[in-house]
Amino acid sequence: MPESTLSSAETALPQFRDVTSPYDGRVVGAVSLTDATAGEAVIETARVGARKAWALSRAARGKILDGAATEIEQRSEEFALTIVSEAGKTIRQARKEVLRAVNTLRLSAAEARRNAGEVIPFDSYEGSEDRTGWYSREPLGIIAAITPFNDPLNLVAHKIGPAIAGGNSVILKPSALTPLSAQQLADALVSSGLPPEALTIVHGGREVAETIIRSRDDVRMVSFTGGFSTGESIARTAGLKKLSMDLGGNAPVIVLDDADIEKAVESCVSGAFWAAGQNCVGVQRILIAAPVYGAFRRRFLEAADRLVVGDPSDERTDVGPMISPAALHELQTKLDEALGAGAVLLSGNVTDGNVLHPTVLEAVPTDSRLWKQEVFGPVVMFRQFSTFEEAIEVANAIEFSLHAGIFTDSLARAMDAAQQLEAGGVMINDSSDYRFDGMPFGGAKYGSMGREGVHFAYEEMTQPKVICIRN
């Protein structure tokens, strides 16, 4: 994940910040910046919002979330164009993100209505036969949510939707690079009946964010999606409170010698270059069995070469720009290091403005930053293996692990890999970048803390309360 979420901001901030297109640099909007000293005022507003949110019935929360989903659905093209303009996603990809956000909100509405708790079988324990009761799920209170640029609508929905379903208020800090989609979502929720105090958006720098994160008595949870070093900084600042973090990945995909090569190539090309590779579960390292290495490499390069690169607003475009010149420069530095250390360039490493053409390498040194760290750009690396055990060992040799994938015609080997791969999700005969918004989402090892996915985030954002009646 990108590391820019809490960065920047001098003490004296301008009143407004322009939002620019990553493709051509034009100004596409502006946001009013939150004063660096406004943290306590923001928290006070959220306190009021927490009381109002808690007072909403489950039916009311569900109605608000469903109403926002319907509004977004009806204005889907407007929302998609906002994603294109501020994030540089292609228009076809942006439309899919809007559909996913609608689904995320509808799943949240369903969670608000159904997940109220359970009956506790007290009489299952001898001596408690005269007791009956249940547990309910209660809101935590105020949740601070910090989101990245790469899914500027749906990742915000994944924070806000479950939080509202659980009766919480939210202080949201969206990426400074893509704040417009978040504001549109907030407006849709308020117009659907959410008390305005229950969702406060802050735009600004480190000072106001740290005040909110540090709050000991009011902010009960920090939900963060972004880079590892920023996550460490948040954890140090937050102190003793609940943390949920998605800190990125470095997805391996294994192609065994009995795999359907055409299917594997199609899935891996999409998984590697979707959203210009700026995807925490995007295909990064493809480990290919020696007998099929040549065939897979040839077909992958042919498919990658057919991708249309350029203007994200063009219906024909497959790969748009990276989010910023700084992100492109950082990735090119890693590419240069790897190439200088012996990596072999098979295609790409060509730039047009802020667009990096799909780039494929092999023989990348395993101690290089390009191999070991999250790439977060349209770059994919091939490595040949001889045995199944070798593939698993190489796949697991990275500290960040969200998703992994394997292509094989053998159910036994697929299940063996699923058991051995150290990842939060294993996609069989599919790209590592597949995600359904209702499934648990998170990583193994240093990849994350906690789980997202609507049901699972809802449970992270609520707490059980036991009610026991003695007869």
Side-chain angles (χ1 to χ4, degrees), residues 23-228:
Y23 178 64
D24 56 20
R26 63 190 171 87
V27 175
V28 297
V31 292
S32 176
L33 292 169
T34 307
D35 189 88
T37 63
E40 290 300 333
V42 168
I43 292 171
E44 176 56 35
T45 298
R47 284 193 201 105
V48 175
R51 291 192 293 270
K52 291 186 176 183
W54 197 328
L56 291 170
S57 69
R58 293 180 178 276
R61 297 175 208 165
K63 185 176 181 180
I64 289 165
L65 290 160
D66 272 334
T70 298
E71 180 174 339
I72 293 169
E73 196 169 36
Q74 292 171 344
R75 298 167 52 201
S76 60
E77 192 69 6
E78 177 187 344
F79 276 80
L81 290 171
T82 299
I83 294 170
V84 172
S85 67
E86 68 175 350
K89 271 192 172 181
T90 69
I91 183 62
R92 287 181 285 121
Q93 294 167 359
R95 288 179 183 134
K96 289 185 177 180
E97 183 181 345
V98 173
L99 292 177
R100 285 186 61 190
V102 169
N103 186 48
T104 297
L105 293 175
R106 295 211 187 282
L107 289 170
S108 299
E111 205 68 24
R113 296 184 178 107
R114 72 170 187 85
N115 196 347
E118 295 182 13
V119 171
I120 301 171
F122 286 102
D123 65 346
S124 65
Y125 182 71
E126 188 175 351
S128 292
E129 292 90 345
D130 62 346
R131 291 172 174 84
T132 187
W134 63 91
Y135 73 85
S136 61
R137 299 210 69 92
E138 307 288 328
L140 294 181
I142 300 174
I143 293 173
I146 303 170
T147 57
F149 68 80
N150 55 315
D151 283 308
L153 181 65
N154 192 42
L155 286 182
V156 173
H158 266 283
K159 310 286 189 191
I160 297 176
I164 291 171
N168 301 283
S169 69
V170 182
I171 301 172
L172 172 69
K173 187 182 187 305
S175 168
L177 300 170
T178 56
L180 304 179
S181 296
Q183 188 62 58
Q184 283 184 319
L185 173 56
D187 292 344
L189 286 162
V190 171
S191 71
S192 298
L194 183 71
E197 301 89 347
L199 176 55
T200 305
I201 300 182
V202 297
H203 304 289
R206 183 178 299 273
E207 293 88 348
V208 67
E210 286 186 345
T211 299
I212 293 163
I213 292 166
R214 188 181 293 112
S215 173
R216 187 178 65 180
D217 298 327
D218 295 293
V219 176
R220 301 299 186 187
M221 177 179 177
V222 178
S223 179
F224 169 70
T225 300
F228 185 77

Side-chain angles (χ1 to χ4, degrees), residues 344-355:
V344 176
L345 180 68
L346 299 179
S347 68
N349 200 20
V350 174
T351 58
D352 292 321
N354 211 33
V355 178

